[in-house]
């Protein structure tokens, strides 16, 4: 290919480097599309991909390539050296680490219904097997898209489908009985003890022969390899810059185990960032203030986004909510400050129509991960007269009111700080006054604010308890939605029973269930990451590539 690219054309670029996974590439593509629609910086964006190449000896290599096959290796290195680089990854995903945790029940329901329906036709065995074989061979690549050993599927789809049929036939009696009882039910729960052996056998075959999980360790290996590669290129460069965009960074220190499917400590991520020259980390609702401290103590700037304003906008558009009869709810003491921030912002956005009330419970645990019951702990009300004047009208570049947890991200949870969110609230009813609270909120809407819905134990138990005690229906808000185990079934049951209205989440975590249920509304964050990257890119461009910056349309820059 004959072409010539001037080095000057490769300088001062905003470089998006995508991790090697389908969710990461889609995420990067969405952000790139938002940039392409932006006349100020759209023409300055370069997109690169990481390719994971596992070798036969067990070693790995991660290459940075141009997906359009235009830039040479030398040109890729040059554009990185003189660019504002953003490594974007959604590779750290529970779904990618253990796909069958999400897919097995769906596969059993899809294939099991078809198996049952074909058996009811009472056709001869050969015709039945051929029809079921056609169904599986057409459906399996779709069900396992993104997590299957694709070359194996392409070469051995029919033998694999035949093996799955053999497993179904071996457990036919239990399968037929189960789906006979489920006939006419729109959504079944295959977590039935009659299917235990069948599920175990099918899962064992798929996980051993077909599925290709990407463990937490692969995410860590890729993050480390790419960071050291980019960091080395920028080591002696004065203009190039390196950033991470990781919507879901699961660095919980209580998960520091040798198992490669578990995550490493947030402190180790921070060490890696500091050692490779990372300037900023962009993430969504990091698990705790301590996680942020790990990075900031190493000199890495943290942009910790929340969805508070977006969720409030969605709630305000819902005509079914009477904000005079609604309250914020925290299922435990640890979430109280987040619920208070939400109540404060709702009060301001509705001009006081929302009462500013927060109700908090405490969990009684049998053991870790098992909640015996939830009990009322207390309630609080927002007092706008306690506000500092300088905090009341803080807005972002687009004129939106800035949430308190963004303005005072470092200390709104610190009860020793003058910016502690609890300072803006008055105690209302204590643990011995629940009956008085009930008189005030019975039949009102509860808005549960949390950071993550994982197994949904907390969300489900909280929703069920306040519905029983206070006759409250529930709106759920959370940034992250792994929805592991039987979370889908729990929340679906609450929705069918009229308890759960809607669960709003972000798309920080991607899996096959996301957005597939009437009660689950995911909101993309790619546009917000684009805005924050642009906000950082333009000053960097002006400082390091004045000539390039000056060529941008002055009207657009100054409007």
């Amino acid at each position: 290919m004959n072409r010539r690219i001037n080095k000057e054309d490769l300088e001062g670029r905003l470089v998006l480097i995508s991790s090697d996974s389908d969710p990461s590439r889609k995420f990067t593509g969405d952000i790139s599309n938002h940039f392409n629609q932006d006349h100020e910086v759209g023409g300055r964006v370069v997109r690169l991909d990481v390719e994971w190449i596992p070798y036969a000896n067990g070693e790995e290599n991660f290459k940075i390539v141009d997906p359009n096959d235009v830039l040479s290796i030398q040109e890729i290195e040059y554009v990185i050296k003189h660019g504002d680089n953003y490594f974007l990854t959604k590779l750290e995903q529970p779904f990618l680490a253990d796909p069958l945790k999400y897919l097995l029940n769906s596969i059993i329901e899809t294939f099991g219904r078809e198996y049952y329906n074909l058996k009811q036709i009472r056709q001869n065995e050969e015709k039945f097997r051929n029809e079921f074989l056609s169904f599986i061979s057409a459906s399996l690549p779709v069900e396992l898209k993104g997590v299957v050993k694709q070359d194996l599927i392409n070469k051995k789809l029919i033998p694999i489908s035949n093996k799955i049929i053999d497993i179904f036939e071996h457990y036919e009696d239990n399968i037929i009985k189960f789906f006979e009882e489920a006939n006419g039910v729109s959504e079944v729960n295959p977590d039935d003890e009659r299917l235990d052996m069948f599920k175990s056998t099918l899962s064992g075959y798929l996980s051993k022969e077909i599925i290709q999980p990407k463990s937490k360790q692969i995410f860590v290996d890729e993050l480390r390899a790419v960071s050291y590669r980019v960091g080395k290129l920028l080591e002696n460069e004065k203009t190039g810059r390196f950033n991470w965009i990781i919507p879901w960074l699961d660095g919980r220190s209580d998960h520091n185990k040798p198992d490669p499917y578990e995550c490493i400590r947030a402190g180790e991520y921070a060490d890696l960032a500091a050692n490779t020259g990372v300037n900023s980390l962009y993430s969504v609702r990091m698990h705790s203030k301590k996680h942020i401290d790990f990075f900031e103590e190493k000199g890495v700037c943290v942009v910790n986004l929340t969805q508070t304003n977006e969720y409030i906008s969605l709630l305000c558009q819902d005509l079914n909510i009477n904000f005079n009869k609604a309250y914020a709810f925290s299922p435990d003491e640890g979430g109280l400050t987040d619920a208070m921030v939400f109540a404060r912002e709702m009060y301001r956005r509705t001009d006081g129509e929302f009462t500013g009330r927060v109700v908090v419970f405490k969990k009684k645990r049998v053991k870790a991960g098992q909640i015996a019951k939830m009990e009322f702990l207390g309630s609080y009300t927002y007092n706008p007269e306690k506000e500092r004047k300088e905090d009341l009208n803080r807005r972002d570049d687009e004129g939106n009111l800035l949430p308190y947890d963004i303005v005072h991200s470092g200390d709104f949870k610190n009860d020793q700080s003058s910016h502690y969110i609890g300072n803006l609230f008055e105690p209302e009813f204590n643990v011995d006054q629940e009956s008085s609270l009930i008189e005030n909120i019975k039949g009102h809407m509860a808005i549960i604010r949390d950071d993550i819905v994982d197994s949904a134990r907390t969300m489900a138990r909280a929703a069920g308890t306040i519905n029983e005690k206070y006759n409250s229906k529930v709106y759920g808000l959370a940034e992250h939605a792994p929805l592991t185990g039987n979370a889908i079934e729990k929340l679906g049951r609450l929705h069918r029973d009229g308890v759960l209205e809607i669960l709003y989440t972000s798309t920080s975590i991607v899996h096959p269930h996301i957005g597939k249920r009437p009660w689950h509304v995911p909101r993309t964050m790619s546009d917000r990451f684009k805005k924050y990257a642009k906000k950082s890119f333009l000053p960097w461009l002006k400082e390091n590539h004045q000539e390039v910056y000056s060529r941008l349309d002055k009207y657009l820059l100054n409007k």
Side-chain angles (χ1 to χ4, degrees), residues 13-25:
R13 297 283 185 164
L14 189 149
V15 184
L16 303 177
I17 306 173
S18 172
S19 168
D20 185 13
S21 72
D22 288 343
S24 299
R25 292 206 170 101

Side-chain angles (χ1 to χ4, degrees), residues 23 26-27 30 90 93-95 102-103 106 187 247-248 307 311 453 478-484 487-488 491 503-525:
K26 183 181 184 309
F27 174 52
D30 289 344
K90 279 195 174 183
Q93 299 280 309
F95 166 59
Y102 292 87
L103 295 174
S106 174
E187 189 174 326
W248 163 247
Q307 290 283 77
Y311 293 154
V453 181
E479 270 76 8
H480 308 297
L483 299 177
T484 57
I488 293 289
L491 298 174
L503 173 64
Y504 291 119
T505 73
S506 78
T507 53
S508 64
I509 293 176
V510 176
H511 49 74
H513 302 314
I514 194 162
K516 297 289 182 66
R517 301 298 190 276
W519 47 265
H520 184 202
V521 179
R523 305 295 295 182
T524 181
M525 295 195 69

Side-chain angles (χ1 to χ4, degrees), residues 492-558:
R493 193 178 308 117
L494 287 171
H495 180 69
R496 291 192 297 274
D497 292 345
V499 176
L500 177 66
E501 292 285 326
I502 292 289
L503 173 64
Y504 291 119
T505 73
S506 78
T507 53
S508 64
I509 293 176
V510 176
H511 49 74
H513 302 314
I514 194 162
K516 297 289 182 66
R517 301 298 190 276
W519 47 265
H520 184 202
V521 179
R523 305 295 295 182
T524 181
M525 295 195 69
S526 55
D527 58 334
R528 295 191 63 210
F529 279 116
K530 174 262 176 182
K531 289 176 184 176
Y532 276 87
K534 174 187 172 182
K535 185 177 179 180
S536 178
F537 170 68
L538 287 176
W540 170 87
L541 186 66
K542 184 176 182 179
E543 179 182 351
N544 294 285
H545 297 277
Q546 180 62 49
E547 186 177 342
V548 176
Y549 181 84
S550 65
R551 291 201 301 265
L552 296 179
D553 191 314
K554 294 297 190 295
Y555 170 76
L556 289 171
L557 284 173
N558 296 315

Side-chain angles (χ1 to χ4, degrees), residues 468-482:
E468 180 182 341
K469 281 191 167 191
Y470 310 146
N471 192 29
S472 292
K473 292 186 177 181
V474 169
Y475 278 72
L477 316 173
E479 270 76 8
H480 308 297

Side-chain angles (χ1 to χ4, degrees), residues 336 340 356-360 378-382 425-429:
L336 176 58
M340 284 178 166
R357 175 180 282 122
V358 177
V359 177
V360 59
S379 65
Y380 303 83
T381 55
Y382 170 64
F425 283 76
E426 302 277 5
E428 185 187 30
F429 298 111

Side-chain angles (χ1 to χ4, degrees), residues 163-442:
K163 179 63 177 177
I164 292 174
I165 294 176
D166 291 341
I167 295 172
F168 267 82
E169 289 182 336
H170 185 79
Y171 297 97
E172 179 175 305
D173 289 346
N174 285 344
I175 293 170
I176 293 296
K177 287 177 182 177
F178 175 80
F179 282 97
E180 191 172 45
E181 293 175 8
N183 192 26
V185 178
S186 60
E187 189 174 326
V188 301
N189 178 15
D191 289 328
D192 186 293
E193 62 181 15
R194 290 172 296 181
L195 300 182
D196 283 351
M197 289 300 296
F198 164 62
K199 288 180 69 174
S200 178
T201 304
L202 182 60
S203 174
Y205 172 66
L206 291 174
S207 60
K208 183 178 180 181
E209 303 291 340
I210 313 298
I211 299 291
Q212 184 178 33
K214 290 188 174 181
S215 71
K216 296 275 188 182
Q217 193 58 47
I218 293 176
F219 160 73
V220 175
D221 290 346
E222 183 193 57
L223 186 65
R224 183 178 292 115
V226 173
S227 297
Y228 274 108
R229 173 76 186 283
V230 175
K232 188 69 175 176
L233 290 172
L234 299 179
E235 196 170 37
N236 298 313
E237 295 295 331
K238 295 181 180 180
T239 61
R241 190 169 68 170
F242 185 36
N243 311 278
W244 288 349
I245 296 182
I246 309 177
W248 163 247
L249 185 63
D250 186 9
R252 290 172 287 184
S253 57
D254 57 325
H255 283 197
N256 185 40
K257 301 174 183 177
D259 184 341
Y261 285 85
E262 295 291 352
C263 61
I264 61 174
R265 289 182 185 272
E268 294 178 47
Y269 288 128
D271 287 339
L272 174 61
N275 292 338
T276 56
V278 172
N279 178 74
S280 297
L281 163 65
Y282 297 78
S283 193
V284 180
R285 198 78 185 276
M286 293 178 71
H287 189 64
S288 71
K289 174 64 168 58
K290 184 63 177 172
H291 286 187
I292 297 173
D293 289 343
F294 280 131
F295 287 90
E296 293 186 338
E297 288 166 2
K298 298 287 185 179
V300 179
C301 174
V302 175
V303 179
N304 187 34
L305 304 183
T306 72
Q307 290 283 77
T308 300
N309 275 348
E310 286 69 24
Y311 293 154
I312 290 175
S313 295
L314 290 170
L315 291 171
C316 289
Q317 294 167 21
D318 194 318
L319 300 179
N320 294 321
I321 300 179
N322 179 354
F323 290 114
N324 279 319
K325 295 184 176 181
Y327 60 94
F329 177 83
S330 175
D332 54 40
E333 293 172 89
L336 176 58
T337 52
D338 292 315
M340 284 178 166
V341 168
F342 178 78
R344 182 237 190 199
E345 304 311 324
M346 278 292 293
Y347 181 95
R348 296 202 304 157
R349 289 281 293 275
T350 61
D351 294 324
E353 183 182 351
F354 180 75
T355 61
R357 175 180 282 122
V358 177
V359 177
V360 59
F361 272 27
K362 62 181 177 181
K363 299 175 187 175
K364 292 264 188 169
R365 294 187 184 273
V366 180
K367 58 182 180 180
Q370 290 190 16
I371 303 169
K373 61 180 178 178
M374 288 183 166
E375 295 179 345
F376 172 68
L377 186 61
S379 65
Y380 303 83
T381 55
Y382 170 64
N383 183 353
E385 294 183 2
K386 290 191 169 188
E387 287 274 9
R388 297 167 180 258
K389 289 183 179 180
E390 61 268 25
D391 288 339
L392 285 172
N393 201 37
R394 296 201 185 191
R395 297 176 182 268
D396 61 20
D397 295 340
E398 297 179 343
N400 301 310
L401 288 169
L402 282 172
Y404 200 83
D405 54 352
I406 296 295
V407 174
H408 299 296
S409 60
D411 47 13
F412 78 95
K413 291 188 176 188
N414 181 3
D415 61 6
Q416 301 302 309
S417 168
S418 61
H419 297 302
Y420 175 54
I421 184 64
N423 294 338
L424 307 183
F425 283 76
E426 302 277 5
E428 185 187 30
F429 298 111
N430 63 35
V431 68
D432 298 318
Q433 298 172 312
E434 187 176 17
S435 58
S436 298
L437 172 71
I438 292 175
E439 292 176 8
N440 283 268
I441 68 169
K442 191 166 186 179

